[in-house]
Every structure is written in C-alpha cells, then in structure tokens.
Amino acid sequence: MRKTLLIKRIIYLFLFAGSFCYLEPVAAQNKSNTASQATPKAFTDGVAAFYDGNYSAAINEFNKAQTQDPAYKPTYLWIGIAYVASGEKSMAYNTWLRMPAETNAMTTSMYLKGMAEWREGKTNDAKYWFRNTFNYKNTPAYKLSTTALARLEKGDQAPPVSEWPALALLPGSKVNKNNPTASEVKNENAPQTNTANTKLPAFIPKGMYQCYDMYTEANNPSRTSYKEILTIVDGSTYEYKSGKTSRGRYTYDSKTGTITFVTGPYSGGNPTAKLGYRTGDNKPMITLSYTFANLGKDEDFCVLVKSN
C-alpha cells in the first residue's frame, strides 16, 4: 500500500514539474507576435498569395514555412486566417489550437476567433471570444477586442478577412491602400467640431465621408483608427461601407445639427449624431457618439473628403 502511494506521488510530482516546463517564462510570453528569426521565403510567398486572393496556395506556402520554423507563431495565425477566407473555419481553429503556447499569440487567436464568428453573424460567440481577452489586458489583442466588441455592439459589419492580418498586427501584413481618401484624414487624438460661430447648412453636404473610430475605456484609455466610408447620398439616404455596402435613411435638424438614423446600419446602435465642422480646416464632420454599459464611450468621426 505504501509502495503504491509512493509511486502515485512520484507520478504527480513528475506531471506537476512537467507542467512548469511547458509554460514559457513571463518575459517570453510578453514578446510580440513579430519576434522571430529570419523569415522563411515560404512565409513571404504565403503572404503574397494571401493578398492575391489565392488562399489554397497561401496555406500551402505557410505550411512549408511552419515546417521550416515550427516555433514561429505568426505562421499559425496566418494559416488560420487563410482557412477562414477559404470557408474552413474549423481548420483555422485546429491550427490555432496546436500553435506553441505563448500569451500574445494565444490572445491574438482569441481575437481572430471573435472576428470569424462576427463575420458569420454569430454575435454571441463573437462576444465570448472577444471578452476572453479581457483577462489579458496587457496584450495587443485586448485593445483590439475592445474596439471590435464596441463596433459589433453598435451593429457594424465585420471587416473583410483581407484586413485581419493588419488589424491583428501580424508581420508581413499590409494596410489596405485601395481607399484613395485615407491619406486625407488627420489622425487626431481628439477631433473637434466648431459649431458655435458657424451657421449650419440647411442640408447635410452630400458626398463621401471618411470615418475613423476612437474607443476609450474608463480605466484603460485606448484609441484605434479604422477606415470606414459613410456617404450622404441625398437629403434622406446614407450609405455605409465597411467590407459590404448597405443603405439606410436619416433625418436632419438644421437648427441643432442633430442627425437621426431611422433605418440601416447606424440605426441599431442608436447613436447621438451631429453635423459640425472640424476645427482647423472647417471641413464638414459628422460625430456619432455611443455609450455602452460595460465598455464605456465610443465616438466615430466622419469627415467629408469628396463632395458629390
């Protein structure tokens, strides 16, 4: 009997010690997803194939890169995104599951799982994965997830998969340069409207408004820009473009500058919206303000960059 108990204790001690060997040191866990040795050529070829829309070729190249450097975690994240783009979400999840353990990579995979569920319209599952990162507030994925969650809760559509590598800050990713107006928007920390001494127009100026979002949280301020297009089509119709394009109707009070979104993407979140002019260049700017019980305040700033 004593011999049996002794053997069991030895086994438990062995397993307990083994669990510590499996975990990476805290300092190693805090490394970013970009830390690596020389990038394999197959990885670069995989990135190129991904941005060409050839996802099967991208997966093949990334798998080669993974064989050459199995410890390089961004490869696993890229493979998963390519699988999602190919309509194979379960394969993406399996890939992320077998990724070497490390906090930043793990939480980034949580963020990407949230994006995958959001893309399919499974909002509860998306919220689950985004909120899982809240236990790791020192990681980039936490800030990314809070921003994504705020957008999801106000009814936004998920960004296209082609933008996920850049959003997840993966090495090799490219910022979407297909938007010709992105360079016209100032990345201000606190955009302001100047309506006190300016007469508001009878109608909202028609045209393309470049939007950028800044999410702030009470205990952990964070500001993240994203590129979304709001087009004022006419005196009662607007168009929202972020990946897919959809339309809705609005009303406008020229005395106060208040905009009410009656239908369409913005109507779900019930934002407080106002027309004003941006301080500095006096460009027409629409400010949309949201308040979330658990997340704090979110504001979108949409600046007119192309008149109709």
Side-chain angles (χ1 to χ4, degrees):
M1 185 68 175
R2 290 184 178 178
K3 186 175 182 181
T4 302
L5 289 172
L6 180 61
I7 292 173
K8 285 184 177 180
R9 288 177 180 175
I10 292 172
I11 291 173
Y12 290 152
L13 285 171
F14 176 77
L15 292 173
F16 185 68
S19 66
F20 277 97
C21 293
Y22 177 73
L23 294 173
E24 293 188 15
V26 173
Q29 289 182 358
N30 288 332
K31 290 182 180 178
S32 71
N33 289 328
T34 60
S36 172
Q37 298 84 14
T39 305
K41 180 179 182 299
F43 179 87
T44 305
D45 292 342
V47 171
F50 177 87
Y51 282 116
D52 285 341
N54 191 344
Y55 302 120
S56 60
I59 292 168
N60 288 336
E61 292 300 325
F62 285 135
N63 280 329
K64 292 179 186 176
Q66 182 185 310
T67 301
Q68 296 171 25
D69 187 357
Y72 189 45
K73 290 167 282 293
T75 304
Y76 295 81
L77 298 170
W78 271 100
I79 293 174
I81 295 174
Y83 271 129
V84 171
S86 301
E88 299 182 78
K89 186 179 72 175
S90 61
M91 292 294 291
Y93 282 30
N94 287 337
T95 301
W96 294 330
L97 186 62
R98 58 185 173 82
M99 181 171 55
E102 187 265 327
T103 301
N104 275 348
M106 176 191 68
T107 53
T108 298
S109 72
M110 291 177 184
Y111 165 72
L112 292 172
K113 287 176 182 177
M115 297 290 277
E117 300 298 340
W118 182 13
R119 179 174 180 259
E120 293 185 355
K122 298 177 180 178
T123 55
N124 287 335
D125 292 338
K127 290 176 183 179
Y128 168 81
W129 286 114
F130 289 142
R131 287 170 179 159
N132 265 357
T133 67
F134 288 13
N135 294 321
Y136 305 91
K137 294 189 176 183
N138 292 326
T139 65
Y142 166 67
K143 293 182 179 181
L144 295 171
S145 293
T146 54
T147 301
L149 186 56
R151 294 181 61 186
L152 184 154
E153 290 197 345
K154 69 185 180 187
D156 286 4
Q157 296 172 338
V161 182
S162 60
E163 296 180 9
W164 293 8
L167 289 171
L169 309 175
L170 299 186
S173 60
K174 302 176 182 178
V175 176
N176 182 8
K177 295 183 179 179
N178 294 327
N179 188 344
T181 65
S183 61
E184 298 182 35
V185 175
K186 298 177 182 178
N187 281 321
E188 304 173 1
N189 286 332
Q192 301 292 325
T193 53
N194 179 15
T195 58
N197 300 316
T198 307
K199 185 178 179 180
L200 292 168
F203 301 95
I204 302 176
K206 292 187 294 184
M208 180 186 295
Y209 288 71
Q210 179 73 69
C211 300
Y212 48 110
D213 175 68
M214 293 182 179
Y215 177 78
T216 58
E217 187 189 36
N219 297 324
N220 190 9
S222 170
R223 296 184 174 90
T224 305
S225 300
Y226 70 88
K227 309 306 177 185
E228 153 195 317
I229 297 295
L230 166 63
T231 300
I232 299 298
V233 180
D234 54 37
S236 62
T237 306
Y238 74 93
E239 185 176 87
Y240 175 98
K241 184 177 181 181
S242 179
K244 296 180 180 179
T245 301
S246 53
R247 288 193 173 194
R249 301 188 70 78
Y250 71 90
T251 60
Y252 167 65
D253 185 342
S254 60
K255 294 181 180 179
T256 62
T258 302
I259 304 167
T260 303
F261 294 101
V262 182
T263 63
Y266 283 124
S267 63
N270 296 319
T272 300
K274 283 195 173 185
L275 175 68
Y277 294 89
R278 188 167 63 178
T279 301
D281 55 17
N282 256 8
K283 285 187 176 181
M285 183 169 78
I286 298 172
T287 301
L288 302 97
S289 301
Y290 304 80
T291 301
F292 302 105
N294 297 322
L295 295 174
K297 187 177 180 181
D298 181 56
E299 289 187 320
D300 293 356
F301 304 94
C302 306
V303 182
L304 180 66
V305 292
K306 185 178 181 181
S307 301
N308 285 349

